[in-house]
Amino acid sequence: AQTVTQSQPEMSVQEAETVTLSCTYDTSENNYYLFWYKQPPSRQMILVIRQEAYKQQNATENRFSVNFQKAAKSFSLKISDSQLGDTAMYFCAFMTYNDMRFGAGTRLTVKP
Amino acid sequence: KAGVTQTPRYLIKTRGQQVTLSCSPISGHRSVSWYQQTPGQGLQFLFEYFSETQRNKGNFPGRFSGRQFSNSRSEMNVSTLELGDSALYLCASSDTPGVRAKNIQYFGAGTRLSVL
């Protein structure tokens, strides 16, 4: 069965600092996508960043970047220059043609 | 372009009743997926519709059903409600289903269902 594991239920970081959220997954598929979604207190899920499994280059979106280690099945999210607005639940997600799985989430608090 | 719209935002029902939730996808999107989010189980995939056909279904009982209309709007129905059905129900739309180029899911704000 395909699984997504986020081992850090809660994390905190000081404003302007860098934080890394961990995610590991398990699958026998070769063609899949990985995502990080953010869910602020307003509860609307927002896509943060997306990585195609066939691409070796790590995805980057402004202050957000990933470290994708396909062999290790690891997909961590690095947030640089953390801002108060980054406070949210962060979900790692995995999608194949027929399935989409989410991790349990990491609650990130950015402190002023 | 308007985002994914889910109605109602909040709903209170009692055990044994049934409920229908609605989701209007982003204009031009033909794929709609539904998820249940609870503190205990996290986010779980319910089902996905594409062009009025159910493509995939998660591991939920038959009390959970859905449909999609020709304008891509989707409804989800839960019959014979149980206390454990209390959850945030999220809908997501995308232009294509599954693993395809450029496929990104856009989520609505969800419907908070409370079963008393």
Side-chain angles (χ1 to χ4, degrees):
Chain A
Q2 292 165 152
T3 59
V4 181
T5 303
Q6 292 180 248
S7 59
Q8 305 150 315
E10 293 192 29
M11 293 189 74
S12 64
V13 64
Q14 290 295 132
E15 195 175 7
E17 293 188 345
T18 295
V19 64
T20 299
L21 279 55
S22 301
C23 173
T24 57
Y25 59 95
D26 189 21
T27 183
S28 58
E29 299 281 342
N30 199 43
N31 186 21
Y32 54 88
Y33 286 81
L34 294 160
F35 305 86
W36 278 97
Y37 279 93
K38 166 185 175 180
Q39 188 177 38
S42 66
R43 84 190 189 200
Q44 183 135 17
M45 297 272 282
I46 303 164
L47 178 67
V48 174
I49 199 163
R50 171 178 179 266
Q51 174 81 43
E52 294 94 331
Y54 63 87
K55 287 188 177 179
Q56 290 187 332
Q57 186 174 4
N58 290 326
T60 300
E61 288 287 344
N62 301 314
R63 299 182 295 107
F64 299 89
S65 62
V66 298
N67 183 5
F68 174 46
Q69 303 289 328
K70 190 172 183 178
K73 295 179 181 174
S74 170
F75 182 61
S76 61
L77 174 70
K78 186 172 85 170
I79 306 174
S80 304
D81 186 26
S82 296
Q83 300 175 359
L84 296 178
D86 295 333
T87 292
M89 280 289 287
Y90 286 81
F91 293 95
C92 177
F94 165 96
M95 174 192 278
T96 63
Y97 184 75
N98 288 320
D99 195 12
M100 183 155 186
R101 303 280 175 140
F102 287 83
T106 296
R107 185 176 300 281
L108 176 67
T109 302
V110 180
K111 298 179 179 178
Chain B
K1 195 182 262 191
V4 178
T5 303
Q6 290 188 248
T7 56
R9 291 292 303 275
Y10 301 90
L11 207 48
I12 300 175
K13 292 286 188 179
T14 56
R15 279 184 300 173
Q17 287 187 310
Q18 75 164 16
V19 66
T20 299
L21 312 182
S22 178
C23 172
S24 293
I26 290 172
S27 178
H29 284 189
R30 292 191 294 156
S31 175
V32 174
S33 298
W34 288 89
Y35 299 87
Q36 182 195 64
Q37 186 177 23
T38 59
Q41 299 297 320
L43 271 157
Q44 293 183 285
F45 171 72
L46 278 156
F47 28 64
E48 178 189 19
Y49 286 86
F50 179 72
S51 294
E52 302 177 64
T53 302
Q54 187 180 88
R55 282 191 68 251
N56 293 302
K57 191 178 190 323
N59 189 26
F60 278 82
R63 301 184 296 106
F64 292 81
S65 63
R67 59 177 176 169
Q68 186 180 35
F69 302 95
S70 58
N71 62 357
S72 295
R73 189 178 71 86
S74 177
E75 287 182 347
M76 190 192 94
N77 184 274
V78 187
S79 62
T80 319
L81 284 166
E82 300 177 1
L83 296 179
D85 297 333
S86 294
L88 178 66
Y89 290 88
L90 293 169
C91 163
S93 79
S94 61
D95 54 354
T96 51
V99 180
R100 301 287 173 84
K102 304 296 183 185
N103 178 44
I104 295 172
Q105 293 205 338
Y106 295 88
F107 283 81
T111 294
R112 172 77 65 189
L113 172 65
S114 298
V115 182
L116 306 178

